[in-house]
Amino acid sequence: MNMFSLALSSFSILYIVLGINVFLMNKKSLLNRLFLIINLSLFIWSFASALYISAYTLEACIFWYKVSSIGCFLFIGVILHFFLEYTQKQELLKKWWIYIFLYLPCIVFSYLEITKDFYAKAYVLKSSGWIVSARTDSIWFWVWTVQFIVFICICIGMSYVWGKKSISKRERKQTRVIYITATISLLIGLVIMVVVSILGVDIPDITPLTGVCWALGIFYAIVKYRLMAMTPSFIAENLFQTIIDSVILVDPKGMILTINPETKSMLGYDQAELVGESLEKLFFQEDRSKKTYITKLLDASPVRNKETFLISKSGVRIPIILSISECKDTYDTRIGFVLASKDITEYKSAEESIQYLATHDSLTGLPNRLMLLQILGHTIEVAKRYNRKFAIFFIDLDRFKMINDTKGHDAGDQLLQEIAKRYTQTLRAADVVSRQGGDEFIVLIDDVHKASDLRLIARNILANTYKPVILQGDECRVTASIGISVYPKDGEDAQVLMKHADMAMYYAKEEGKNDFQFYSEDILSELTGRLDIEQNLRFALERNELSLHYQAKVNLKTGAITGVEALLRWQSPQLGSITPTQFIPVAEETGMILSIGRWVLKQACLQNVAWQKQGLPAVCMAVNLSLKQLTDTELVHYIEAALDDSGMAPNLLELEITESMIMSNPKKMRDVLVRIKSMGVRLAIDDFGTGYSSLAQLKHFPIDTLKIDRSFIRNVPDNSEDKAITHAIIAMGETLGFAVVAEGVETLEQMNYLKGQACDEMQGFYFSKPVVPEEFALLLQKQSISSAG
C-alpha cells in the first residue's frame, strides 16, 4: 500500500466516523440521514480508490475502480439533495421529478461505467500505483464533468443565497463556513481532475480527498453553530435555560438536581446552593406530619396550577402557581419530577387590593353593602341562637346634594369622610358602620335591649351629623334622616330589615328631615308610590310605554365606536318618566323582569340588524341581565329565539352580568354561562370591582369583558386610590385576556388617563349620552363617513 492508498484509506475512515456521529445526534432528522449517506458515498469512493490504486492485478484494479465510480456518482446526487433540504426548498422537494433529476444521472453513469467504461480509457501500473487515464474524447466524459461542476455550483449558490437572506446570525455564520469549504473542495477537485485526467500527469486520481474539506466544514458548522444539532435534547436544554417561568428538576426522592436561571432570579439562590438539597428547603411547611407538604404534592403528581408558596433565600414567602410532572423512563420507572412555577406576587397583590376594595368603600374605608350583608347574615344567626335583638339604622344626609352641587365633588368627598369618622367614633366598637354609596350609611347596632337605647343612639348620630364642618374655608352643616328597623319584629332576613329601615328613612324625610323614624305598618301604608309603579308596570309592555336608548362604547386607541349598550326607559302616561332605579327593583321583586328582559333582548337584536340593513357598520350589542333572568331555566331558549328571529350573528351580542350575581352560586352560574358562551355570545362583568370575586374564581368563568364600575372612574386621575383600583383592574384584565371597558367617562382627563393605562374601551357622557335609535344611527353614519374620508 503506497502513500496515496494510505491517505485515501485514512480519510475514508474519517468520512464514516463523521457520518455516523452526526446521524446519532438525531436519527429522525432527514438532514442528518442525508449527511450520513454523503459520507457513506465518500467512504465508498475513497476506500475503493485506495484499493484499486494498490491492487495486485488488473482485474482487481478494474473492479475496485468501478466500485469507486459508483460512490462518486452517488455523492453528486446526494450532496445536491442535502443542500435542497438544508436551504428548505420544501416546495421543490414535493415534486416527483426532482428525484429523477437528482438520481437518474447517478444510475445512468454507474451503468455506463460498469458496462461500457465510458470514463476509464486505460489502466496503467506505475511506481505510485495504478493510474486510470480518462476518455477525454468521449461525449459522456464531458457530460459527466459538466454535471459534476453544475451540481456543485448549485449547492454553493443555494447556500450562499440562503446565508444572505437569513435573519439569524448563527445561520449566516454556519452557511458561510459551508459555501467557503464547498468552493475550496470544488477548486481542488477541478485542479486534480485537470492534472490527472486531462493533462495525464503520472499520479493516481486522488479526487475523493477533496470531500474532506467539505465534510469537515459541515461538521465544524454542526459543532460550532449547531447546524443539524437541533435535537430534542438540545432544544429542551435551551428551553430549560430560557423559559420565563421557574423550573426545578428533582430526583425521585425530592432532591434538587438542577434549576433554571429564572429560579435563581426569583429565589436568590445560586445553583450550587440548591443542587443536592431537599425540596423542603424551598417550600412552605403547612403541617407538622412526617409527610411534608411538598412530598404530598409529589405523590399526587401530576399537579396543575396549584396556588402555594416558595421560600426565597432571604426567607420571603413568594406566592406561586405550581405544576408538577412525573418523569419516567422507557421501563415505566420513575426517574424524577419537573416543577414549573410562576411568580404571582403582582397578581396576588392586585387581587388582594381589589378584594379589599370590593368589600370596603374606597372613599371612607368603611365596609360596603356586600360586607355588611355578610356581617348581617352572621348577626342574624347569632341572634336566632341566643334570642337577641339588633337594629338597622338607614341614614341619608339631607343637604348633601346642595353642598356637592355648590362646592363640588371634592368638598362632598371631604364631608362624607368626616361624617364617616364621626359615626365610627360615636358608636361602640361592636357596632358596624357601613357606607352604601352616595350619601347613604347603614349602621348595625348589635344586642339591643330596649327602644329607648335606640332613640338615644339616633339622637347622638343626628347631633354629631349637625356639627359644623369646614369645607373650602367655609363652615357648613348638614342634617340626616334615619330609618330604624329591629330584628326580629321588623324582619328576619337582611334584605327585609334593610328595606324596612330604608322605608322608615324615606318617611323621616317626608316628615321634615333631621329626624328618625322606626319602621311600622303605618309607614308601609304611607309609601304607596311603589305600589303605583308596580300596578302601572304590569301594563307598560302591552301599552308600548317601554323603549330602549343606546349608549356607545368607544375604542380608546382608535376612537371608533365598537359597541353599544341597550338601556331601558319607561314613560308612563299616569306617572310620567320613571327611572330604571325606580322600576327595575319592582320588576325584579314581582318577576315582571323576565317578560321585560325578553322584550329588551328581542328589540335590541332587531335594532342592531336594522342598523346593518341601513348600511351601517355592525357593532356589538350589550344587554344587561338580572339575577332572576340568569336563574331562569328558559334563558338560553329565549336568547336563541331573539337571535333567530332577528338574524343577528351571536358574536354581536354581549350579555352583561354583575360579580354578585355569579358569586351568589358560582357553580350553577358557571354552568349557565358556559351554555350561553357555547352559542357564540359574548359575556361581560358589569360594575366590576364592587363585588367580591378572586382571581382564582374569575378565571373559571367564560368571561370576555370587564366593565370598571363608574364609581372608580369618577375621581380619576385626581384620586390616587381610584387610580390604583383602575390600574389593578386593567392589569388583571390584561393578565386574564379580558377586554376592559371603563364606564362613566365624563371628562377629557379621565379619557386620557385611561388611554395611558392601556384600557381598551370607554363608555360615558364624554362621548355620548344614551340616545334614541335614530340618533345612534347618525353617530355610526358619521363614523363611517369619517373612516371613508
Side-chain angles (χ1 to χ4, degrees):
M1 180 176 286
N2 59 38
M3 58 178 289
F4 297 106
S5 295
L6 184 61
L8 288 168
S9 299
S10 301
F11 282 113
S12 66
I13 295 171
L14 177 63
Y15 291 141
I16 202 70
V17 169
L18 292 178
I20 292 174
N21 193 297
V22 170
F23 174 71
L24 292 177
M25 287 182 180
N26 188 359
K27 298 177 183 179
K28 294 182 180 180
S29 168
L30 177 58
L31 208 58
N32 290 39
R33 293 200 296 267
L34 287 172
F35 185 73
L36 174 61
I37 297 171
I38 288 171
N39 282 272
L40 286 174
S41 66
L42 286 170
F43 168 78
I44 294 169
W45 186 12
S46 183
F47 191 70
S49 294
L51 292 176
Y52 90 71
I53 290 172
S54 60
Y56 292 108
T57 66
L58 176 62
E59 290 76 10
C61 172
I62 295 172
F63 173 79
W64 287 114
Y65 176 77
K66 293 181 184 294
V67 172
S68 73
S69 299
I70 294 172
C72 175
F73 301 143
L74 177 61
F75 168 77
I76 300 304
V78 178
I79 195 69
L80 182 54
H81 190 172
F82 174 88
F83 274 90
L84 288 171
E85 183 70 27
Y86 168 62
T87 56
Q88 298 182 10
K89 298 294 189 294
Q90 303 303 325
E91 290 300 319
L92 190 59
L93 288 168
K94 290 178 182 178
K95 310 293 185 182
W96 61 269
W97 53 264
I98 192 65
Y99 298 98
I100 295 175
F101 176 76
L102 291 172
Y103 296 111
L104 184 60
C106 164
I107 297 169
V108 170
F109 290 136
S110 296
Y111 174 78
L112 290 174
E113 187 59 31
I114 292 170
T115 59
K116 305 289 185 181
D117 284 331
F118 85 90
Y119 186 94
K121 181 178 181 180
Y123 301 88
V124 180
L125 182 60
K126 299 284 186 176
S127 60
S128 56
W130 288 95
I131 296 174
V132 180
S133 59
R135 295 182 184 272
T136 55
D137 57 344
S138 168
I139 186 65
W140 288 109
F141 168 83
W142 293 108
V143 169
W144 178 84
T145 303
V146 169
Q147 185 231 355
F148 180 91
I149 296 171
V150 168
F151 272 36
I152 300 301
C153 287
I154 291 174
C155 294
I156 295 170
M158 283 194 302
S159 59
Y160 178 80
V161 172
W162 174 255
K164 287 294 182 181
K165 290 183 177 179
S166 176
I167 60 173
S168 166
K169 186 176 181 181
R170 178 181 63 83
E171 287 185 354
R172 289 198 302 270
K173 286 189 174 184
Q174 71 188 19
T175 305
R176 188 179 301 118
V177 170
I178 290 170
Y179 70 68
I180 289 175
T181 53
T183 304
I184 293 171
S185 292
L186 175 63
L187 293 175
I188 294 173
L190 289 174
V191 168
I192 293 173
M193 182 186 293
V194 170
V195 170
V196 175
S197 300
I198 298 175
L199 298 180
V201 177
D202 288 341
I203 61 171
D205 184 1
I206 55 173
T207 308
L209 296 180
T210 61
V212 172
C213 185
W214 209 344
L216 287 174
I218 295 175
F219 190 78
Y220 176 79
I222 293 170
V223 175
K224 180 72 174 177
Y225 304 115
R226 294 293 181 176
L227 167 66
M228 296 156 56
M230 295 300 179
T231 60
S233 59
F234 174 77
I235 295 170
E237 175 63 22
N238 274 268
L239 287 175
F240 178 72
Q241 294 298 327
T242 60
I243 192 169
I244 61 173
D245 291 341
S246 163
V247 180
I248 303 173
L249 305 184
V250 300
D251 67 14
K253 295 181 180 179
M255 307 303 289
I256 299 172
L257 297 173
T258 185
I259 62 175
N260 72 336
E262 181 61 25
T263 308
K264 300 178 194 176
S265 174
M266 183 168 72
L267 300 180
Y269 285 105
D270 288 331
Q271 179 152 317
E273 296 177 280
L274 290 180
V275 172
E277 295 286 339
S278 171
L279 270 179
E280 294 175 16
K281 181 174 183 176
L282 300 181
F283 278 87
F284 175 63
Q285 180 68 32
E286 290 187 342
D287 56 42
R288 299 290 180 182
S289 66
K290 291 182 180 179
K291 209 170 202 183
T292 64
Y293 174 68
I294 187 58
T295 304
K296 292 177 180 178
L297 287 181
L298 292 177
D299 289 344
S301 64
V303 174
R304 296 290 179 267
N305 299 324
K306 171 74 175 177
E307 286 196 21
T308 183
F309 297 89
L310 279 173
I311 307 298
S312 73
K313 185 177 181 179
S314 59
V316 176
R317 278 176 37 169
I318 301 172
I320 60 167
I321 292 179
L322 173 68
S323 293
I324 302 176
S325 298
E326 182 183 29
C327 299
K328 293 184 178 181
D329 61 18
T330 54
Y331 301 100
D332 203 34
T333 301
R334 177 188 289 175
I335 59 174
F337 299 91
V338 177
L339 288 79
S341 56
K342 185 176 185 64
D343 184 350
I344 56 169
T345 302
E346 292 184 7
Y347 303 150
K348 295 296 287 185
S349 177
E351 180 184 351
E352 289 169 4
S353 175
I354 290 175
Q355 287 178 351
Y356 174 82
L357 295 169
T359 55
H360 290 76
D361 172 50
S362 60
L363 179 64
T364 62
L366 296 176
N368 62 11
R369 182 182 181 87
L370 177 66
M371 188 171 182
L372 179 67
L373 286 173
Q374 294 172 348
I375 296 171
L376 259 177
H378 175 70
T379 305
I380 289 171
E381 290 179 6
V382 173
K384 282 181 180 178
R385 185 179 305 146
Y386 298 105
N387 196 26
R388 292 180 180 174
K389 297 179 182 180
F390 65 86
I392 298 292
F393 282 38
F394 201 113
I395 308 171
D396 186 271
L397 302 183
D398 296 325
R399 300 177 62 243
F400 176 75
K401 187 176 185 302
M402 184 184 71
I403 290 176
N404 221 23
D405 292 344
T406 56
K407 291 190 172 292
H409 291 299
D410 289 343
D413 289 347
Q414 183 184 340
L415 173 62
L416 291 172
Q417 290 170 335
E418 176 60 28
I419 294 298
K421 181 180 177 182
R422 292 180 186 179
Y423 288 171
T424 304
Q425 293 173 344
T426 300
L427 299 168
R428 301 171 300 176
D431 301 326
V432 178
V433 182
S434 167
R435 182 183 174 220
Q436 299 300 286
D439 59 347
E440 294 179 345
F441 295 84
I442 290 182
V443 176
L444 169 61
I445 307 294
D446 196 12
D447 198 14
V448 172
H449 297 287
K450 50 189 177 181
S452 58
D453 292 338
L454 296 178
R455 291 189 181 93
L456 180 61
I457 294 171
R459 291 190 184 100
N460 284 337
I461 291 174
L462 291 175
N464 278 282
T465 304
Y466 191 65
K467 287 180 181 178
V469 182
I470 305 301
L471 299 175
Q472 297 178 353
D474 298 326
E475 183 180 287
C476 300
R477 294 176 186 267
V478 292
T479 58
S481 297
I482 304 174
I484 305 171
S485 64
V486 180
Y487 174 89
K489 179 176 69 71
D490 300 326
E492 295 189 9
D493 68 71
Q495 295 293 349
V496 172
L497 286 167
M498 289 175 65
K499 182 178 74 172
H500 287 169
D502 189 12
M503 294 173 67
M505 181 273 293
Y506 275 111
Y507 187 71
K509 278 190 178 294
E510 291 180 2
E511 290 297 300
K513 303 178 182 178
N514 193 26
D515 197 4
F516 62 89
Q517 292 288 340
F518 286 86
Y519 173 79
S520 68
E521 294 296 329
D522 293 335
I523 287 177
L524 181 62
S525 63
E526 292 287 336
L527 301 174
T528 58
R530 189 177 181 90
L531 183 59
D532 290 337
I533 289 176
E534 180 181 336
Q535 290 173 340
N536 285 276
L537 186 58
R538 294 187 183 280
F539 304 100
L541 264 180
E542 59 188 67
R543 292 172 180 170
N544 295 319
E545 295 172 7
L546 298 179
S547 63
L548 293 180
H549 284 199
Y550 299 91
Q551 187 173 34
K553 286 195 291 185
V554 180
N555 185 297
L556 279 164
K557 290 181 180 178
T558 64
I561 297 173
T562 54
V564 59
E565 182 177 359
L567 300 168
L568 185 61
R569 298 291 183 263
W570 179 23
Q571 184 67 35
S572 169
Q574 290 79 23
L575 304 177
S577 179
I578 313 297
T579 65
T581 55
Q582 291 175 297
F583 71 83
I584 291 296
V586 176
E588 282 270 10
E589 285 186 17
T590 59
M592 286 187 283
I593 194 67
L594 295 178
S595 57
I596 292 173
R598 292 188 182 102
W599 178 85
V600 169
L601 187 60
K602 181 178 180 181
Q603 289 300 119
C605 293
L606 288 171
Q607 183 59 67
N608 194 312
V609 174
W611 285 328
Q612 293 180 54
K613 289 180 179 179
Q614 295 175 31
L616 299 172
V619 292
C620 187
M621 175 67 74
V623 177
N624 289 280
L625 289 183
S626 69
L627 179 59
K628 194 172 288 291
Q629 288 176 278
L630 201 57
T631 55
D632 180 14
T633 56
E634 298 297 313
L635 174 63
V636 173
H637 298 301
Y638 74 73
I639 293 173
E640 289 176 341
L643 292 171
D644 291 341
D645 293 345
S646 64
M648 189 175 83
N651 66 301
L652 292 180
L653 176 62
E654 183 171 71
L655 299 177
E656 296 187 3
I657 56 179
T658 64
E659 286 178 273
S660 57
M661 287 162 60
I662 60 176
M663 298 315 300
S664 62
N665 189 337
K667 184 179 184 303
K668 182 179 179 181
M669 292 301 102
R670 183 181 181 278
D671 292 341
V672 174
L673 297 180
V674 167
R675 287 183 65 195
I676 295 173
K677 185 66 180 176
S678 66
M679 299 164 58
V681 174
R682 294 175 59 81
L683 292 168
I685 295 185
D686 196 15
D687 302 334
F688 185 73
T690 59
Y692 186 82
S693 57
S694 71
L695 174 65
Q697 291 168 322
L698 199 60
K699 66 184 180 183
H700 295 305
F701 291 94
I703 301 301
D704 299 289
T705 304
L706 298 180
K707 298 188 73 176
I708 306 174
D709 186 69
R710 64 184 66 246
S711 63
F712 301 131
I713 302 300
R714 186 183 70 185
N715 294 321
V716 297
D718 301 322
N719 185 285
S720 58
E721 195 169 86
D722 285 344
K723 284 169 63 179
I725 299 168
T726 303
H727 172 76
I729 294 174
I730 293 171
M732 175 180 280
E734 182 179 359
T735 299
L736 296 177
F738 300 150
V740 180
V741 180
E743 296 185 285
V745 178
E746 298 183 358
T747 67
L748 176 63
E749 291 76 16
Q750 291 170 348
M751 184 186 73
N752 287 336
Y753 173 77
L754 292 166
K755 276 187 180 180
Q757 295 299 309
C759 184
D760 299 306
E761 297 175 336
M762 73 169 184
Q763 182 178 344
F765 284 9
Y766 181 74
F767 183 80
S768 173
K769 295 180 179 181
V771 294
V772 296
E774 294 77 15
E775 290 186 41
F776 188 78
L778 291 176
L779 288 175
L780 285 177
Q781 188 176 36
K782 182 179 178 182
Q783 176 177 289
S784 298
I785 294 171
S786 176
S787 299

